[in-house]
Structures are given as structure tokens and as C-alpha cells.
């Protein structure tokens, strides 16, 4: 019998790559999706007939418990969240409902309906926020700087609590920024890649962006979903930082993207727009994934330059079809 995996947030960047990864491993893959008037299956359209979608919502306890009860999964990956940091100031209560309490609802569903299922929680480097230690590792104290980061801290600790209270196999992956062509257009990396492609084709002259001086540890999403899976293949549950151990500024990302299309001066296409600045900025994130390397045997495969090139080339292809 093939293993069964339930993924919340299957239509997102990470969910779509994880679904692909698990299908290649021979899993039966189930995805929890919210009922909306217009369904967005763009990221999973190529595997839509290979996965089974189940109706459910992180705000509705019964729907999650029912899904777990019906599927009886071996592994549950909770990737669903209100995941855009900027929006978390505009919708702080909704962010708390999905990104914090939503985790509790999924854990509770697993506890009630399939307690021996292995559970993965998508924690975030945004939990470190105003960093208290560099580089950041599993023992670094949290100091979140946004409603999103705060909600993720709750989700992280409730996962630890269920593991310790109910002897559940529950892990948190503290993933640093990870990007791909499937990133939402509201995220700065995708905005840069798309904007550079449009400038190259003469569709726009500048790219409107916020503060580019904050630094991030940027990796490639397909590399990171492998780490999620590896965590659930261990003998005992634990939490792991997943990162590249390198940090780059937004301006470096823009400069590298410009190089891909032959634009020599990135400042010529950059237009600062204050509306994209955060009320409280996270200035510097860099992760120490040495524990993941030692225990999981995981390390990133894709370099920063390759990541930027992959994203820009995808946008050049996509925008070419629009011209």
C-alpha cells in the first residue's frame, strides 16, 4: 500500500512542489482546499488528475477533522497560511485565525482522527524578526516583527506542545525565505523577476519596490520541500532550521536579475514606493542549517545566482507569450 499524505495549502508554492515530490516517491497525495467561487489551481494544473482534492478550511475545525478521519493519512503537512507579511498588518485577526489557530485545528484533527500520523508544521524565519543571534539556529530566541511572524511563533510552539503533551510525531521546519517561479507576484523576488522581464520587453520602464536594503537568506523552494519530507522520515520528531547560510539584500537580487537580461545599471530601473515599506522591518536574516545537514543529510542544491536566473528566465518566457 502506498503511503498517504495530506497537504494543506496544496495550491500554494510549497504545496505544489511538495505534491510533485511525494507523487514521485509513490505517495497517494490528498490536498485540502477551500471552497471559493473561483478556484486557483494554476500551480497544480499539471498534476490535478494525480492528486485528490478534499474540501476543508483552516477556520472550520469539523472540515479538517473530517478530512483526516476520511483519508487516514500517514503524513500531514500543514502549509496553509495567510503567508504575505505585508498583508498581516492589514488583516492581523485573519492572519491569527489561519496562521496561528489554524495550526491548532490541524493538530487537534490529527490527535482526534489519526494520532499516529506524522505532522509537519511550516514555521518561518520571520519568527526571528529583530534577530537576537547571528546566524539563527533552532535555539535562537524569537523576536517577531509582524502579525505574521507572531502568528507563526504561536503555530511553532503549539506544535511543540502537542508533541510533548500527547506524544505525537510533530515537527516544525523553520524555513528561511525560499523562492521559485511559483511565488506569488506580491512577493519581492517574483516582483523583481517579473519587472525585469517586462522592462526588457519594453512593457514598463521601472519597477516599483519598497526598501531593498534588508537582507534575506534566499533558497530554492523545490530544495526545501525535500527537507520537509526528510523530517518526517526520522525515528523521532524534532525541529530544524532550513536555510542556505548566505544572505543577500534586495538590491543584490535586483542587480543579479538585471544581469540575466543584460541591464547594466539596476538603479536605472528601481523606483522606490513607500507603500511597500513595512511598519517594522526585519533587517537581517541568515540561517544555520548545520543540524539539518547532520541529522537529515540535507543541504541546498541551488545557488543564489541560479535561483535568480531560474526565476527571471521563467518570467521572460511567460511575458513573451503576453507580448
Amino acid at each position: 500500500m502506498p503511503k498517504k499524505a495530506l497537504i494543506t495549502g496544496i495550491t500554494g508554492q510549497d504545496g505544489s512542489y511538495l505534491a510533485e515530490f511525494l507523487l514521485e516517491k509513490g505517495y497517494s497525495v490528498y490536498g485540502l482546499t477551500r471552497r471559493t467561487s473561483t478556484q486557483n489551481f494554476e500551480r497544480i494544473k499539471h498534476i490535478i488528475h494525480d492528486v485528490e482534492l478534499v474540501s476543508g478550511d483552516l477556520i472550520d475545525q469539523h472540515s479538517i477533522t473530517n478530512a483526516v478521519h476520511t483519508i487516514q493519512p500517514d503524513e500531514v503537512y500543514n502549509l496553509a497560511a495567510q503567508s504575505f507579511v505585508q498583508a498581516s498588518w492589514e488583516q492581523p485577526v485573519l492572519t491569527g485565525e489561519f496562521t496561528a489557530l489554524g495550526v491548532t485545528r490541524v493538530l487537534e484533527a490529527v490527535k482526534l482522527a489519526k494520532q499516529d500520523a506524522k505532522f509537519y508544521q511550516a514555521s518561518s524565519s520571520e519568527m526571528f524578526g529583530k534577530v537576537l543571534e547571528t546566524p539563527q539556529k533552532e535555539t535562537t530566541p524569537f523576536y517577531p516583527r509582524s502579525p505574521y511572524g507572531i502568528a507563526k511563533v504561536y503555530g511553532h510552539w503549539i506544535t511543540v506542545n502537542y508533541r510533548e503533551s500527547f506524544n505525537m510525531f510533530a515537527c516544525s521546519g523553520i524555513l528561511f525565505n525560499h523562492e521559485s517561479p511559483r511565488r506569488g507576484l506580491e512577493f519581492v523576488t517574483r516582483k523583481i523577476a517579473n519587472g525585469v522581464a517586462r522592462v526588457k520587453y519594453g512593457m514598463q520602464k521601472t519597477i516599483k519596490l519598497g526598501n531593498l536594503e534588508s537582507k534575506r537568506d534566499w533558497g530554492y523552494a523545490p530544495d526545501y520541500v525535500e527537507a520537509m519530507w526528510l523530517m518526517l522520515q526520522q525515528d523521532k520528531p524534532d525541529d530544524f532550521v532550513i536555510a542556505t547560510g548566505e544572505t543577500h539584500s534586495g538590491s543584490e537580487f535586483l542587480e543579479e536579475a538585471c544581469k540575466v537580461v543584460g541591464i547594466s545599471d539596476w538603479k536605472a530601473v528601481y523606483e522606490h514606493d513607500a507603500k511597500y515599506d513595512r511598519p517594522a522591518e526585519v533587517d537581517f536574516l541568515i540561517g544555520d542549517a548545520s543540524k539539518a545537514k547532520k541529522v537529515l543529510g540535507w543541504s541546498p542544491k541551488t545557488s543564489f545566482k541560479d535561483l535568480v536566473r531560474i526565476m527571471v528566465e521563467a518570467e521572460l518566457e511567460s511575458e513573451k507569450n503576453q507580448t
Side-chain angles (χ1 to χ4, degrees), residues 71-140:
I71 296 162
Q72 292 291 293
D74 299 286
E75 298 170 4
V76 176
Y77 296 86
N78 183 42
L79 310 185
Q82 189 300 98
S83 61
F84 187 42
V85 175
Q86 189 75 29
S88 74
W89 277 284
E90 294 153 15
Q91 297 180 303
V93 176
L94 182 76
T95 300
E97 280 287 354
F98 275 114
T99 310
L101 290 175
V103 186
T104 315
R105 295 187 189 104
V106 182
L107 282 163
E108 192 65 13
V110 172
K111 179 169 77 84
L112 292 170
K114 185 73 164 69
Q115 193 162 347
D116 64 342
K118 293 183 173 183
F119 175 83
Y120 172 85
Q121 164 58 15
S123 286
S124 167
S125 60
E126 287 285 330
M127 301 189 304
F128 296 122
K130 191 174 182 179
V131 298
L132 301 174
E133 179 182 38
T134 296
Q136 295 86 54
K137 51 185 185 284
E138 292 79 8
T139 54
T140 302

Side-chain angles (χ1 to χ4, degrees), residues 42 45 194 197-198 201 203 312-323:
E42 184 63 28
K45 64 182 179 184
N194 177 261
R198 291 177 63 82
Y201 289 140
M203 300 163 84
V312 173
E313 286 177 353
E315 295 302 320
L316 287 167
E317 188 63 31
S318 173
E319 290 298 334
K320 183 171 71 177
N321 296 330
Q322 308 300 321
T323 54

Side-chain angles (χ1 to χ4, degrees), residues 34 37 41 53 76 81 104 110-111 115 118 120 137 147 171 181 185 188 211 224 249 252 261 277 298-299 304 315 321:
R34 279 187 296 159
S37 54
F41 295 147
L53 300 179
V76 176
T104 315
V110 172
K111 179 169 77 84
Q115 193 162 347
K118 293 183 173 183
Y120 172 85
K137 51 185 185 284
C171 299
L185 259 173
V188 67
N211 166 37
Y224 284 42
S249 65
E252 282 179 79
V261 299
D277 293 341
W298 180 90
S299 55
F304 175 71
E315 295 302 320
N321 296 330

Side-chain angles (χ1 to χ4, degrees), residues 85-308:
V85 175
Q86 189 75 29
S88 74
W89 277 284
E90 294 153 15
Q91 297 180 303
V93 176
L94 182 76
T95 300
E97 280 287 354
F98 275 114
T99 310
L101 290 175
V103 186
T104 315
R105 295 187 189 104
V106 182
L107 282 163
E108 192 65 13
V110 172
K111 179 169 77 84
L112 292 170
K114 185 73 164 69
Q115 193 162 347
D116 64 342
K118 293 183 173 183
F119 175 83
Y120 172 85
Q121 164 58 15
S123 286
S124 167
S125 60
E126 287 285 330
M127 301 189 304
F128 296 122
K130 191 174 182 179
V131 298
L132 301 174
E133 179 182 38
T134 296
Q136 295 86 54
K137 51 185 185 284
E138 292 79 8
T139 54
T140 302
F142 300 135
Y143 192 148
R145 297 267 283 169
S146 66
Y148 169 79
I150 293 160
K152 279 291 185 184
V153 170
Y154 176 97
H156 180 86
W157 281 117
I158 200 71
T159 301
V160 172
N161 184 256
Y162 269 64
R163 178 168 75 216
E164 294 176 350
S165 302
F166 306 112
N167 198 31
M168 290 169 65
F169 195 111
C171 299
S172 275
I174 307 171
L175 271 56
F176 279 64
N177 292 63
H178 46 288
E179 317 299 314
S180 76
R182 297 183 193 171
R183 246 316 191 191
L185 259 173
E186 68 273 21
F187 290 87
V188 67
T189 51
R190 175 82 191 283
K191 199 184 293 182
I192 288 171
N194 177 261
V196 163
R198 291 177 63 82
V199 169
K200 174 69 175 174
Y201 289 140
M203 300 163 84
Q204 63 189 61
K205 287 191 169 65
T206 60
I207 310 164
K208 291 182 178 179
L209 300 160
N211 166 37
L212 290 185
E213 293 322 300
S214 56
K215 294 193 168 186
R216 293 289 183 274
D217 185 325
W218 274 307
Y220 186 41
D223 293 350
Y224 284 42
V225 299
E226 181 188 19
M228 300 176 187
W229 175 76
L230 284 168
M231 287 178 215
L232 299 197
Q233 310 317 306
Q234 304 308 304
D235 292 331
K236 63 181 190 348
D238 206 348
D239 306 323
F240 295 89
V241 161
I242 302 299
T244 68
E246 289 181 20
T247 190
H248 299 275
S249 65
S251 57
E252 282 179 79
F253 199 103
L254 177 55
E255 183 178 13
E256 198 58 46
C258 286
K259 283 181 189 172
V260 176
V261 299
I263 296 171
S264 57
D265 182 12
W266 67 269
K267 290 177 182 172
V269 300
Y270 170 52
E271 183 181 343
H272 180 253
D273 190 333
K275 80 177 180 184
Y276 297 120
D277 293 341
R278 295 178 179 183
E281 186 55 86
V282 174
D283 297 316
F284 185 88
L285 292 174
I286 181 169
D288 175 0
S290 52
K291 180 179 169 184
K293 187 171 187 178
K294 182 182 174 186
V295 177
L296 307 177
W298 180 90
S299 55
K301 300 181 179 77
T302 310
S303 70
F304 175 71
K305 284 189 173 185
D306 284 343
L307 166 67
V308 178

